[in-house]
Amino acid sequence: MPLIYGSLNAKQHRYLEVISQSGNHLLTLINDILDLAKIESGKMALYILPTSIEVLCNSSLNFIKQVAYQKAIKLETRIPTNIGQIDVDELRMRQALINLLSNAIKFTPEKGQVILEVSREFSTDRLHQHTQQIIRFSVIDTGIGIAPEHLPKLFQSFVQIDSSFNRKYSGTGLGLALVKQIAELHQGTVSVVSTVGQGSRFTITLPSPNCSDFTQMQAMQLERTLPLEQPLQLQDSTVTGLLPAQPLILLAEDNPANTDTFAAYLTSCGFRLIVATNGQEAINLAQQQPDLILMDIQMPGMDGLEAIRQIRADRTLKNMPIIAVTALAMAGDRDKCLAAGATEYLAKPVSLKQLKTMIQQLLLEGGQNTLKYIAIPFEM
């Protein structure tokens, strides 16, 4: 991990790793319990919108790239050409795909393979005598596999398969239960096929009734296999000459503790920094044409949302990458930030390593307005 205030010895590294892993485990457990409670009480509202299937898949894969890279696991997508859109709650479907992909990577040995495969098919309902289109999202791995007697337990809450081989893999026992619930909220299903020692295929099947512009011939087009790019580090030779020299970041943040933390970390990573403490200062400093803006939303005076709107109104700044960094994490908050013009959305508490990766990706993309959402726990 990048160091901010000097070198750590081996024992300190181990202690920090334990603290980080324990904190992340607790946060994941709490979030999963809250999500399950919302679903089971009927209080989880879905925000169904036409969603690009390719964007949904790529944004899900971006979230787990780094972990796969660390294990030298090859990631691939198999997506038919012109797969189009599906009506789903993009946030919840991304959550389900990330859970499946994370599990696949966790249970796949080093130098293995994980594939995200998507297909559009036609299913015949013999009872009601009609044919409907369906979309299948399959996550395929070359991992340890699951014994047949354990398959019925997979989608139960707080259940982990108890075997001497896979007990070494930590987890909450809620991830697959959430995937099942999310699929069923979308009137879909989730299934699994697995062979011990060879791997598994988890498939989410969703109805896709509003896709009349796709014919059966289009749905049967040849798939293309696209190897995913490996995550890039700022110091990597592959990046040299592509990123701006010492990129300039505008940080808009009114909390001094947060400012100190971000400033220490980002400068240690080789970024230059200018700081604004409210929305109006951010608008003024944006005229210096920074390479990227980190915008806190809850600030005194003019808040971050209004500041983003005014920055976007300036034609010379309309393509400026802006990451909304905020404690706002309620339903609809993400949409507010993106509607105001944010390129990315990060919910506090923020992972500094993930923040760095996001900044690098946006700088390499040249500030394309991809409008994605990532909510991640704190991790130094």
Side-chain angles (χ1 to χ4, degrees), residues 67-76 104-115 140-144 197-199 230:
V67 180
Y69 179 58
Q70 291 171 352
K71 293 182 67 175
I73 290 175
K74 183 181 181 183
L75 290 178
E76 291 185 2
I105 292 170
K106 180 166 64 174
F107 293 109
T108 297
E110 291 187 0
K111 299 183 180 180
Q113 184 177 29
V114 171
I115 300 167
I140 308 159
D141 66 65
T142 57
I144 62 177
Q198 296 184 22
Q230 298 293 359

Side-chain angles (χ1 to χ4, degrees), residues 136-190:
R136 297 191 193 276
F137 297 87
S138 295
V139 175
I140 308 159
D141 66 65
T142 57
I144 62 177
I146 305 163
E149 63 269 23
H150 294 316
L151 292 177
K153 305 176 186 177
L154 283 178
F155 300 101
Q156 298 176 20
S157 301
F158 300 104
V159 171
Q160 289 181 283
I161 304 304
D162 188 11
S163 74
S164 59
F165 185 68
N166 64 15
R167 286 300 295 170
K168 67 180 181 179
Y169 301 100
S170 63
T172 64
L174 290 172
L176 292 178
L178 269 174
V179 171
K180 180 176 183 290
Q181 297 277 21
I182 291 171
E184 291 177 351
L185 281 175
H186 286 84
Q187 308 303 311
T189 60
V190 61

Side-chain angles (χ1 to χ4, degrees), residues 355-369:
L355 174 63
K356 176 187 172 184
T357 299
M358 181 183 291
I359 291 172
Q360 292 170 352
Q361 290 174 344
L362 284 176
L363 293 178
L364 288 172
E365 291 169 4
Q368 295 176 2
N369 194 20

Side-chain angles (χ1 to χ4, degrees), residues 19-40:
I19 293 170
S20 177
Q21 291 170 6
S22 299
N24 286 333
H25 180 81
L26 284 173
L27 186 60
T28 300
L29 178 61
I30 292 168
N31 286 336
D32 286 351
I33 291 172
L34 290 174
D35 284 341
L36 274 177
K38 287 180 185 177
I39 294 173
E40 292 175 357

Side-chain angles (χ1 to χ4, degrees), residues 310-345:
Q310 293 198 28
I311 289 172
R312 289 295 185 220
D314 186 332
R315 297 183 63 181
T316 65
L317 302 173
K318 65 178 182 180
N319 294 321
M320 176 76 63
I322 301 176
I323 301 176
V325 183
T326 175
L328 296 175
M330 301 300 290
D333 289 333
R334 167 219 179 202
D335 293 334
K336 291 177 184 177
C337 292
L338 300 185
T343 314
E344 294 274 10
Y345 173 101

